[in-house]
């Protein structure tokens, strides 16, 4: 039996270079990740942190960094008490040129059966990635409310 995982595939009218920058630049992530910024030097073994309103909400370690192709980091949630006990998970971004588009595959795995974290990321990632696609293609955000990130679990 396979372990629970979240997979999301999107085709974005952009370049691998712009998409890589969007995934690794704090200035860029703040725009589409509902104000959250990523912090890392993007070298394998280096720390990773996601900050929202100055607070570390998630942290981990860079597992793989192949610019313009693949990025992976471990992911441990800190903000909501209901999710703090969940195990460290893994996020993998795969970037593939696809004609004039880029195919972005996001895999988030390492969840436990019956845990709340899969439900949380299953609502959060589509909102984040829809904003990313819109921003890269049109320069505008969709206006999805930040509350969309908290659907799927009872965050207080």
């Amino acid at each position: 039996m396979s372990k629970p995982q979240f997979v999301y595939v999107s085709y974005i009218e952009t370049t691998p270079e712009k998409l890589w920058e969007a995934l690794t630049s704090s200035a860029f992530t703040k725009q589409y990740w509902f104000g959250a910024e990523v912090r890392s030097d993007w070298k394998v073994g280096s720390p990773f942190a996601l900050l929202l309103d100055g607070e570390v909400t998630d942290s981990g370690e860079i597992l793989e960094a192949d610019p313009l192709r693949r990025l992976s980091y471990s992911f441990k949630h800190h903000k909501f008490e209901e999710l703090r006990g969940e195990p460290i998970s893994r996020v993998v971004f795969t970037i593939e040129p696809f004609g004039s588009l880029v195919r972005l595959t996001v895999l988030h795995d390492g969840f436990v059966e019956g845990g709340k974290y899969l439900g949380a990321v299953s609502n959060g990632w589509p909102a984040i990635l829809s904003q990313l696609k819109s921003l890269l293609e049109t320069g505008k955000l969709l206006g999805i409310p930040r509350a969309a990130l908290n659907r799927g679990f009872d965050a207080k």
Side-chain angles (χ1 to χ4, degrees):
M1 184 174 177
S2 62
K3 290 194 171 193
Q5 63 181 11
F6 173 83
V7 179
Y8 191 93
V9 178
S10 183
Y11 293 85
I12 305 171
E13 192 171 1
T14 192
T15 64
E17 292 82 4
K18 288 180 183 175
L19 181 53
W20 182 265
E21 180 184 1
L23 295 173
T24 59
S25 161
S26 261
F28 212 111
T29 62
K30 282 179 81 169
Q31 294 177 69
Y32 70 86
W33 206 323
F34 300 89
E37 55 184 298
V38 293
R39 296 246 177 108
S40 184
D41 65 8
W42 308 110
K43 295 177 183 166
V44 173
S46 290
F48 161 83
L50 185 66
L51 289 87
L52 184 61
D53 302 326
E55 173 189 5
V56 174
T57 60
D58 305 273
S59 66
E61 178 182 311
I62 304 302
L63 304 172
E64 188 176 1
D66 183 1
L68 311 184
R69 290 180 187 84
R70 194 166 159 98
L71 176 65
S72 176
Y73 44 79
S74 59
F75 205 76
K76 177 68 177 162
H77 185 77
H78 303 285
K79 183 174 175 107
F80 296 111
E81 187 175 332
E82 306 84 90
L83 301 178
R84 283 188 208 133
E86 300 273 336
I88 295 172
S89 59
R90 176 183 71 146
V91 176
V92 181
F93 298 95
T94 304
I95 300 168
E96 301 168 277
F98 196 83
S100 64
L101 308 171
V102 176
R103 180 178 191 223
L104 173 64
T105 302
V106 178
L107 166 69
H108 195 151
D109 63 6
F111 304 107
V112 294
E113 287 285 341
K116 293 183 177 184
Y117 203 30
L118 178 59
V121 303
S122 293
N123 284 291
W125 276 124
I128 293 162
L129 297 170
S130 294
Q131 294 274 74
L132 168 64
K133 177 178 171 60
S134 180
L135 186 60
L136 285 170
E137 292 182 345
T138 70
K140 298 177 185 175
L141 297 173
L142 297 172
I144 299 170
R146 189 188 275 188
L149 297 175
N150 299 336
R151 293 188 46 163
F153 71 99
D154 300 323
K156 294 175 176 70

